[in-house]
Amino acid sequence: MSRVYNFSAGPAVLPEEVLKEAANEMLDYNGTGMSVMEMSHRSKAYEEIIQGAQKDLRELMNIPDHYKVLFLQGGASQQFAMIPMNLMKNKVADYIVTGQWAKKAWQEGSIYGKANKIASSEDKTFSYIPNCEDLPISEEADYVYICENNTIYGTKYKKLPNTKGKILVSDVSSCFLSEPVDVTKYGILFGGVQKNIGPAGVVIVIIREDLIREDCLPGTPTMLKYKIHADNDSLYNTPPAYGIYICGKVFKWLKKMGGLEAMKEHNEKKAKILYDFLDESKLFQGTVVKEDRSLMNVPFITGKEELDGKFVKEAKEKGLENLKGHRSVGGMRASIYNAMPIQGVEKLVEFMKDFEEKNA
Ligand SMILES: *Cc1c(COP(=O)(O)O)cnc(C)c1O
């Protein structure tokens, strides 16, 4: 068996320890004589798994009691509709468009009401986060929407926008659990877990209780109401049971690693190795404004498409995989999520130096 360093943006690298544990429990979970995949989601054993996962996540993120944690399906993309369907009582919402995902959310929002684009960084290919201190927030806005870490472009909000008292809704898919956050600053935080937590198929929504309402937009399907999932502790129907089990293992792993403070330190250290090199390199260049750089997704280019292709190909031969940039932007992108070991980043930079010498 040989594992590569996997720089994929998602689905992405998971802690090896977690995968090994899951492998060991594949045929017989904890003396039940069956795999978690084969287990009723109403069984005692599974109840402990899902409740344990929620408890550990609450502890890791310090989630207050008046927030609900929901394990849902449909990907982060389904939240683009679920949020307006559940929150748009005035039928107005403000969106800050900092990349493809925020743009999709804004477009989806406009199906259900007046979705205002109050700021954007599209003028410079989403390479920065706009100044959000004094935005034209609408009087009537039911919420202000952001995508906190832009997976494709590699930017991250270092400071949350001033929403002038309006509810903040944030897509944290690609920075979930990468550093501590103050949950009380948000109305909703949500993310697909396949970026920084677990296997595809699970979406975690952390929502302030007073935003969970009966009166969704007319025609909202039962499955798209936060209330039905909150009232049933994410067991209204069959949840993505195996995925939640793996997420639970990752939460335990994070706790063992020292929690989110320690994770932040670890992530900063990793990102610094790569950014420091990009800043001194004569061949490679980062594509993002320095102060808005993401700790998780690091896009870079050589400036020559042909050379980019050569780099990605030769890196793969060295066991450094999935470094090709998103199809919409080209170049390269190294996603260095929680589970990427520091050695992976060191090895990448070593290879970049070598590549630079040979191709400068
Ligand atoms: C990947 C991603 C999405 C889309 O996730 P799906 O689960 O595929 O719907 C949305 N937002 C961000 C920030 C992402 O990185």
Side-chain angles (χ1 to χ4, degrees):
M1 183 202 71
S2 90
R3 301 228 341 134
V4 298
Y5 287 115
N6 179 7
F7 293 92
S8 168
V13 58
L14 288 171
E16 210 168 288
E17 225 178 288
V18 165
L19 296 176
K20 280 184 180 151
E21 252 184 58
N24 280 334
E25 293 171 354
M26 184 57 76
L27 297 182
D28 176 7
Y29 173 74
N30 203 15
T32 57
M34 60 179 92
S35 166
V36 173
M37 272 184 228
E38 304 170 298
M39 197 174 272
S40 163
H41 58 294
R42 311 272 177 212
S43 64
K44 181 100 183 28
Y46 194 73
E47 203 174 287
E48 277 165 20
I49 289 171
I50 192 167
Q51 283 174 4
Q54 172 162 181
K55 185 174 150 284
D56 287 333
L57 180 63
R58 283 186 173 277
E59 222 174 287
L60 274 171
M61 292 183 75
N62 205 4
I63 301 174
D65 288 342
H66 64 293
Y67 281 76
K68 286 271 188 193
V69 173
L70 309 176
F71 296 105
L72 307 178
Q73 307 193 52
S77 302
Q78 183 159 283
Q79 293 306 308
F80 300 169
M82 218 163 148
I83 288 158
M85 284 175 143
N86 284 263
L87 258 51
M88 262 192 182
K89 54 174 197 265
N90 297 331
K91 296 215 172 187
V92 181
D94 290 346
Y95 284 77
I96 303 174
V97 177
T98 52
Q100 299 292 351
W101 296 118
K103 193 173 183 177
K104 282 190 172 158
W106 166 62
Q107 286 165 341
E108 191 75 12
S110 70
I111 297 174
Y112 303 98
K114 191 160 177 283
N116 302 305
K117 178 162 69 172
I118 55 166
S120 165
S121 52
E122 193 162 13
D123 60 332
K124 290 183 182 151
T125 1
F126 299 120
S127 58
Y128 69 102
I129 299 291
N131 183 330
C132 296
E133 264 157 47
D134 185 20
L135 295 171
I137 309 276
S138 318
E139 274 297 309
E140 296 268 85
D142 292 310
Y143 57 87
V144 175
Y145 183 101
I146 63 168
C147 176
E148 203 160 325
N149 185 80
N150 296 281
T151 325
I152 297 172
Y153 301 94
T155 57
K156 160 104 205 284
Y157 284 80
K158 299 295 157 79
K159 196 171 164 236
L160 293 175
N162 175 3
T163 64
K164 303 184 178 170
K166 302 294 181 194
I167 290 155
L168 180 65
V169 173
S170 179
D171 176 355
V172 297
S173 294
S174 50
C175 58
F176 225 150
L177 302 177
S178 63
E179 56 183 289
V181 294
D182 179 355
V183 173
T184 64
K185 297 213 162 103
Y186 303 83
I188 295 181
L189 314 88
F190 73 94
V193 304
Q194 75 273 24
K195 305 291 160 66
N196 201 23
I197 303 180
V202 184
V203 186
I204 298 176
V205 175
I206 302 168
I207 177 169
R208 215 175 65 202
E209 243 162 23
D210 60 293
L211 301 175
I212 302 174
R213 297 198 321 250
E214 200 80 70
D215 58 330
C216 301
L217 295 187
T220 301
T222 307
M223 275 294 287
L224 299 191
K225 292 179 176 169
Y226 289 126
K227 189 162 189 339
I228 198 86
H229 296 290
D231 286 351
N232 290 281
D233 292 324
S234 304
L235 289 166
Y236 167 68
N237 70 325
T238 320
Y242 193 81
I244 295 168
Y245 153 76
I246 299 290
C247 291
K249 286 203 177 297
V250 172
F251 301 154
K252 286 225 181 332
W253 176 78
L254 286 167
K255 281 170 73 179
K256 208 172 86 186
M257 297 287 286
L260 301 191
E261 278 296 345
M263 230 44 234
K264 180 177 191 222
E265 240 174 76
H266 170 69
N267 288 328
E268 281 174 345
K269 208 161 133 193
K270 280 188 301 185
K272 188 173 187 309
I273 296 172
L274 189 45
Y275 284 126
D276 280 355
F277 173 69
L278 288 173
D279 287 343
E280 68 176 38
S281 169
K282 291 198 172 61
L283 181 64
F284 299 99
Q285 254 171 281
T287 56
V288 164
V289 169
K290 272 190 195 178
E291 55 272 25
D292 299 329
R293 282 170 164 175
S294 164
L295 290 181
M296 299 281 98
N297 311 97
V298 184
F300 56 95
I301 52 169
T302 63
K304 294 194 195 88
E305 219 173 289
E306 216 181 85
L307 211 50
D308 288 352
K310 185 170 181 233
F311 176 84
V312 172
K313 185 170 161 282
E314 289 182 13
K316 185 175 161 70
E317 285 159 12
K318 293 258 188 276
L320 306 163
E321 293 223 16
N322 290 317
L323 283 160
K324 195 171 182 322
H326 188 269
R327 58 200 145 84
S328 65
V329 291
M332 279 77 72
R333 171 180 50 175
S335 294
I336 49 176
Y337 296 121
N338 285 346
M340 172 59 65
I342 200 153
Q343 295 87 330
V345 180
E346 285 167 351
K347 199 140 178 245
L348 170 62
V349 168
E350 216 174 279
F351 173 68
M352 288 167 80
K353 283 182 182 159
D354 187 53
F355 187 88
E356 178 166 336
E357 255 170 49
K358 289 181 178 140
N359 294 277

